[in-house]
Amino acid sequence: MKDIIIGSRGSDLALWQTNWVKKQLETLYPAFHISVKIIKTEGDKILDVALSEIGDKGLFTKAIEDALLGNSIDLAVHSLKDLPTTLPAGLRIGAVSKREDQHDAFISHKHNSLDKLPMGSVIATGSLRRKSQLLNYRSDLNILDVRGNINTRLRKLEVEGWDGMILALAGVKRLGLTAQLKQIIPENIILPAVSQGVMAVEIRAEDKELLKMLEPLNNKNSLSQITAERSMLKTVEGGCQIPVGVFTKIENEKIYLDAMIGSIDGKKIVKCSMEDSIEKSEELGIRAGLDLLERGGREILSSLR
């Protein structure tokens, strides 16, 4: 293998992430020729329907994974939060990046924080998880669904004159779009998405050479965090379009996890907080998932389905 083809979505953020991985590999392996192939996913094509209505099983990943399995690309770079917890047979995660800040961001041209918003303000977000927690915090807010990449969303915010928008802070920072960033939303108001802020490199399961090449990119702390978060999500059988949030941090060889499941109207939210040693990240996630289901999460999820 002397040529490596990386598959990527065509959005600015997807290309930023792909080019970041490309640069790392070019630095590590200058003898290799590394190129990028842009692939349009189902989620990129359907922009006029809410994500919650089209289902999310591989919406932003399936076309890229098909290209991997068909050998037309060698690896794929994703926002890990887009990857389902069960990957297609024949594929695996080869590396996860160091995590960017996992919080959500409040973007506005008019107001400095969620608390400063007037009654009945209009806030745009494409996420049921954010909608649930926002309405739980401020039931007076009017939440609008918005689709499209970050730049498209920011343009809509300006044109439509909405009071604000919630985006993942990681994407805003990576693209240098912090001009309208008014507040990094603390996790006691909105728990982030599973794996938010982490990039994943997906490869064919049998590609041992590429797996070894990716080793230097693999971040140990990120791996522990996302192992806990994804095992929690798998336990509750939640996808991207179910109001499930989680925040993890690592301190002194321990991993701390806060998680939630909520109703879309924000009237019912169940939460749990747990900790364990880093080696038990997967078990911690499973325990948290079971705890959420027992506390009322099961009823919330069955009402959503």
Side-chain angles (χ1 to χ4, degrees):
M1 183 198 282
K2 276 293 178 197
D3 287 346
I4 296 173
I5 303 169
I6 307 178
S8 173
R9 290 171 64 201
S11 73
D12 288 350
L13 181 59
L15 289 170
W16 186 98
Q17 295 180 160
T18 296
N19 284 319
W20 183 88
V21 171
K22 181 174 180 273
K23 280 186 194 123
Q24 305 300 311
L25 291 173
E26 284 170 342
T27 304
L28 288 163
Y29 311 107
F32 281 73
H33 176 257
I34 301 167
S35 59
V36 175
K37 181 176 183 177
I38 293 174
I39 296 165
K40 213 165 186 166
T41 68
E42 203 63 24
D44 298 312
K45 293 172 189 170
I46 308 171
L47 291 172
D48 54 350
V49 184
L51 287 177
S52 51
E53 288 173 31
I54 35 180
D56 67 318
K57 287 287 181 246
L59 201 59
F60 294 106
T61 57
K62 187 180 183 300
I64 297 173
E65 290 177 328
D66 287 347
L68 252 181
L69 289 167
N71 294 308
S72 63
I73 60 172
D74 301 297
L75 59 91
V77 181
H78 306 279
S79 293
L80 182 52
K81 66 176 183 174
D82 291 335
L83 271 185
T85 51
T86 303
L87 298 183
L91 298 180
R92 62 166 294 161
I93 291 172
V96 292
S97 72
K98 185 179 179 197
R99 191 173 214 163
E100 179 52 271
D101 194 317
Q102 65 195 290
H103 290 93
D104 280 317
F106 173 61
I107 310 287
S108 178
H109 298 279
K110 304 175 179 179
H111 311 287
N112 287 327
S113 71
L114 292 174
D115 289 341
K116 298 267 166 57
L117 287 168
M119 291 279 287
S121 288
V122 176
I123 302 297
T125 173
S127 155
L128 296 181
R129 168 189 60 82
R130 292 177 185 134
K131 181 178 182 178
S132 169
Q133 294 179 89
L134 269 176
L135 288 174
N136 183 263
Y137 186 67
R138 290 272 312 258
S139 59
D140 63 289
L141 295 176
N142 182 8
I143 313 295
L144 276 189
D145 190 77
V146 65
R147 291 285 316 281
N149 61 46
I150 292 180
N151 286 307
T152 304
R153 293 184 194 204
L154 290 174
R155 272 196 299 277
K156 282 184 185 172
L157 175 65
E158 202 160 347
V159 171
E160 303 290 342
W162 300 325
D163 293 287
M165 178 175 280
I166 313 292
L167 296 168
L169 179 60
V172 173
K173 285 174 79 169
R174 282 174 179 148
L175 292 179
L177 298 170
T178 54
Q180 274 79 48
L181 170 61
K182 292 293 162 44
Q183 181 187 16
I184 295 171
I185 303 172
E187 64 273 16
N188 65 325
I189 298 177
I190 297 184
L191 286 171
V194 169
S195 310
Q196 189 155 291
V198 179
M199 296 178 273
V201 183
E202 191 177 23
I203 60 172
R204 287 181 286 278
E206 82 278 0
D207 199 336
K208 301 288 186 284
E209 185 187 352
L210 208 42
L211 182 65
K212 191 153 182 56
M213 288 174 73
L214 289 168
E215 257 174 38
L217 273 63
N218 216 6
N219 185 277
K220 210 172 85 181
N221 274 5
S222 285
L223 198 55
S224 299
Q225 286 180 289
I226 64 106
T227 298
E229 293 172 24
R230 282 170 69 82
S231 65
M232 182 277 293
L233 187 65
K234 195 170 184 175
T235 303
V236 302
E237 295 179 351
C240 312
Q241 292 312 308
I242 286 176
V244 175
V246 64
F247 180 86
T248 56
K249 63 179 180 183
I250 290 173
E251 283 174 3
N252 304 322
E253 295 304 303
K254 290 189 91 167
I255 183 164
Y256 297 83
L257 178 148
D258 295 298
M260 62 72 66
I261 295 175
S263 60
I264 293 169
D265 61 11
K267 287 180 178 163
K268 188 166 187 201
I269 282 189
V270 293
K271 289 187 174 183
C272 74
S273 294
M274 292 185 177
E275 63 187 72
D276 213 325
S277 61
I278 293 177
E279 300 79 55
K280 294 188 175 166
S281 296
E282 189 171 1
E283 294 95 317
L284 176 66
I286 293 166
R287 273 198 305 144
L290 292 171
D291 190 55
L292 287 174
L293 292 174
E294 288 301 310
R295 286 168 184 259
R298 194 171 277 112
E299 289 71 32
I300 293 173
L301 293 177
S302 60
S303 71
L304 288 171
R305 293 187 182 117

